[in-house]
Amino acid sequence: MGTIFTLFMVLIMIASILLIIMVMAQNPKGGGLSGTFGGTSSAQFGVQRTNDFMEKATWTLGAIIVLLILLSVVLTAKPSTAFKQTAPARQEAPAPQTAPGTNNSVTMPIPAPATAPADK
């Protein structure tokens, strides 16, 4: 595999791990990491901003992963031909070339001797 493919795979793994951490830190009922910083009420100062940041970071990391996957497919794909031959074409030996009007015994058959009809 190429170096660019390895680079894309490492970046995708890092973004995936960060996305897992962001999702695990959120709590759908208002707790999680945002509840740790400001209590359970989202009306307190700073908690709503933490929720917004976590949600935006989650969507951004998801978009980054999709973008990296698409870029890795486009940039590392090997072009293929539509009509790929599986077996090589059969090659025939070229016909021997002789000059016209020559009687070469290699390329021209030897005529059979003519026999005269027997008179009885």
Side-chain angles (χ1 to χ4, degrees):
M1 302 274 171
T3 307
I4 190 86
F5 181 76
T6 306
L7 176 68
F8 276 118
M9 287 298 111
V10 168
L11 290 175
I12 290 170
M13 283 190 230
I14 290 171
S16 298
I17 291 170
L18 289 174
L19 181 64
I20 291 170
I21 292 171
M22 294 302 286
V23 169
M24 295 298 286
Q26 295 178 18
N27 189 353
K29 299 194 182 199
L33 188 61
S34 62
T36 304
F37 289 130
T40 57
S41 174
S42 61
Q44 293 179 352
F45 178 73
V47 176
Q48 186 63 34
R49 289 184 185 161
T50 305
N51 282 338
D52 290 341
F53 170 75
M54 301 273 287
E55 184 177 351
K56 288 179 183 176
T58 303
W59 283 105
T60 303
L61 283 171
I64 287 171
I65 291 171
V66 170
L67 182 68
L68 285 173
I69 290 171
L70 290 176
L71 279 175
S72 69
V73 168
V74 170
L75 294 178
T76 62
K78 295 178 183 171
S80 63
T81 59
F83 300 105
K84 193 175 189 181
Q85 287 184 339
T86 57
R90 197 174 100 195
Q91 295 180 351
E92 297 181 12
Q97 300 292 323
T98 59
T102 60
N103 190 7
N104 189 347
S105 63
V106 175
T107 59
M108 305 273 304
I110 300 173
T115 56
D119 289 331
K120 290 187 188 178

